[in-house]
Amino acid sequence: MHNIERIDAVAQDRMLPAEELAGLLGSFTDEELEYASSLARAVAQRVFGKKVYLRGIVEFTNYCRNNCLYCGIRRDNKNACRYRLSQEETLTCCRDGYAAGFRTFVLQGGEDPWYSDERMCEIVSAIRAEFPDCAITLSLGERSEESYRRLKQAGADRYLLRHETADAAHYALLHPAEQTLQNRMDCLHTLRALGYQVGCGCMVGSPFQTPLHLAKDLLFMAEFRPHMIGLGPFIPHHDTPFRDEAAGTVRQSLMLLALCRLMLPEVLLPATTALGTLDPIGRERGILAGANVIMPNLSPVSVRKKYMLYDNKLFSGDDPETCRRALEQRVASIGYQVVMGRGDHPAFAADARKGN
Ligand code: 5AD
């Protein structure tokens, strides 16, 4: 099969076997990438218009009990300068974000046991009470079903938990033995059953990854049907075991974004910070390949350089308002428009209109 036929098959909802997807992801021309991108952005425009949703991320802790081999805030990185934001500091970030128009707050952190269910629920409840018109997204890693339930009860709407790779053997090469793909997948299914809008996703070009692994990621996502997909290139961090590994590529990330959009027309798909880190206009290119979300940083400027998952992470010292304006301009430069609403997944937005 030729790549154009493969791309057409995905666009027409004819799912390809893993080998065919791997063939496409293993090698494609710039013209083939542009073909996939143009189909993907047509789909995104049909579902969402030429609109890009902004989500404000608050990186509230960089303590982590995990030891993922790729990640700059892994527990064994003794050079990481650790911090935690207090509830009040976190709320201040949301307040500043709200004033600048943000209506989704993403609380992201390492797996930090200091944020027990009790403490975390208190933070979520406080945000929920003060900002009833905003969506609250959590990205706190693996927790118990009970924990996820309580956080939902406290007012969380969405949860991001990248599966990282859908291949168990590959997963085991990226993580220590105490972390398993099975547990990740169990968490994702639990989150969905609890009524969260759920995001999964993976790194592109992570060490040991083959095109067949990426094909498996796509097939997993086609079956799981997440509401959100987080997908960006792997970038090495100098204080991790993967310091000498090659980074993923922008073009392969763009091809994956395009295929995700074609497979799941309604998915909320960020043009990630990692993409913007490897290419100064990476996020714009992501939008032109079907992405429809950008997630700027609302963390206090004093901690932004400490949440370093990989080297050279795109940094801006901008306040939320300046940040929004800058992104509005960037997005306008490619003919798109920033929208500041909650930006729920269409299935959930319909629920909201029905009053559920
Ligand atoms: N390069 C790119 N992405 C990374 N992440 C963690 N470390 C890196 C890295 N070195 C991603 C993981 C995680 C998300 C929060 O950040 O996919 O799920």
Side-chain angles (χ1 to χ4, degrees):
M1 223 175 177
H2 295 296
N3 278 344
I4 296 293
E5 290 172 70
R6 288 165 168 155
I7 294 164
D8 281 336
V10 177
Q12 291 157 16
D13 211 15
R14 285 184 279 126
M15 226 28 230
L16 289 172
E19 293 68 30
E20 293 292 340
L21 287 170
L24 169 59
L25 291 162
S27 125
F28 52 83
T29 64
D30 288 345
E31 289 71 32
E32 287 159 355
L33 173 58
E34 178 46 33
Y35 181 65
S37 295
S38 67
L39 293 181
R41 67 178 171 263
V43 169
Q45 287 172 20
R46 170 167 60 73
V47 179
F48 296 99
K50 287 178 120 179
K51 291 186 176 149
V52 175
Y53 295 104
L54 296 195
R55 284 53 167 107
I57 307 199
V58 183
E59 296 160 338
F60 67 96
T61 173
N62 71 348
Y63 281 84
C64 192
R65 67 185 166 119
N66 286 339
N67 220 7
C68 308
L69 275 75
Y70 45 83
C71 184
I73 63 168
R74 64 201 303 271
R75 71 163 182 262
D76 278 359
N77 181 9
K78 304 299 178 222
N79 293 330
C81 179
R82 307 285 173 172
Y83 71 90
R84 287 185 180 111
L85 299 188
S86 67
Q87 174 165 325
E88 201 44 38
E89 287 171 313
T90 302
L91 273 167
T92 301
C93 295
C94 296
R95 278 177 202 134
D96 294 347
Y98 191 90
F102 287 84
R103 294 296 178 268
T104 290
F105 302 120
V106 182
L107 301 189
Q108 184 173 92
E111 290 194 21
D112 179 355
W114 192 86
Y115 294 90
S116 60
D117 291 348
E118 204 154 298
R119 285 190 171 128
M120 205 61 230
C121 285
E122 207 183 305
I123 297 171
V124 172
S125 308
I127 299 175
R128 175 47 65 233
E130 190 167 335
F131 308 103
D133 55 335
C134 292
I136 302 175
T137 304
L138 301 178
S139 179
L140 318 173
E142 297 175 17
R143 298 174 78 100
S144 68
E145 176 172 355
E146 174 62 12
S147 175
Y148 289 148
R149 181 177 296 112
R150 288 175 64 180
L151 291 164
K152 182 90 186 22
Q153 193 75 37
D157 303 281
R158 311 182 188 138
Y159 205 102
L160 304 175
L161 183 68
R162 290 192 182 176
H163 65 283
E164 311 296 359
T165 170
D167 182 275
H170 185 218
Y171 196 94
L173 294 171
L174 303 180
H175 304 94
E178 73 238 24
Q179 292 171 251
T180 64
L181 179 60
Q182 188 60 52
N183 200 51
R184 273 269 138 154
M185 294 295 183
D186 289 349
C187 287
L188 284 169
H189 284 101
T190 300
L191 288 162
R192 144 159 284 160
L194 287 169
Y196 283 93
Q197 295 175 55
V198 182
C200 62
C202 58
M203 288 179 291
V204 180
S206 58
F208 312 111
Q209 187 182 61
T210 64
L212 198 54
H213 291 135
L214 285 172
K216 282 180 89 169
D217 288 319
L218 284 175
L219 290 174
F220 161 67
M221 293 190 281
E223 187 196 294
F224 183 68
R225 306 190 70 79
H227 305 94
M228 305 169 281
I229 293 178
L231 194 151
F234 161 75
I235 303 173
H237 184 288
H238 62 280
D239 283 324
T240 65
F242 290 161
R243 62 178 65 84
D244 295 324
E245 301 290 333
T249 65
V250 171
R251 64 197 298 284
Q252 202 173 33
S253 305
L254 294 172
M255 180 59 93
L256 272 146
L257 284 174
L259 295 175
C260 285
R261 171 61 64 208
L262 292 175
M263 283 179 354
L264 298 170
E266 299 192 327
V267 80
L268 290 155
L269 187 64
T272 51
T273 306
L275 198 56
T277 298
L278 285 189
D279 180 339
I281 53 162
R283 288 175 300 177
E284 290 85 336
R285 294 176 73 190
I287 290 161
L288 294 174
N292 68 332
V293 172
I294 296 181
M295 301 170 68
N297 199 328
L298 300 184
S299 309
V301 176
S302 58
V303 306
R304 285 188 198 176
K305 288 209 164 134
K306 298 180 184 164
Y307 201 84
M308 234 2 124
L309 306 185
Y310 45 82
D311 287 341
N312 306 314
K313 183 176 158 204
L314 192 62
F315 171 84
S316 125
D318 288 347
D319 59 88
E321 179 75 31
T322 313
C323 201
R324 194 198 81 208
R325 287 219 202 95
L327 287 172
E328 276 172 356
Q329 284 198 358
R330 278 177 171 265
V331 161
S333 78
I334 51 167
Y336 283 63
Q337 189 197 347
V338 159
V339 284
M340 297 306 286
R342 279 174 54 115
D344 286 287
H345 185 276
F348 278 75
D351 277 1
R353 278 200 300 277
K354 280 183 251 145
N356 304 330

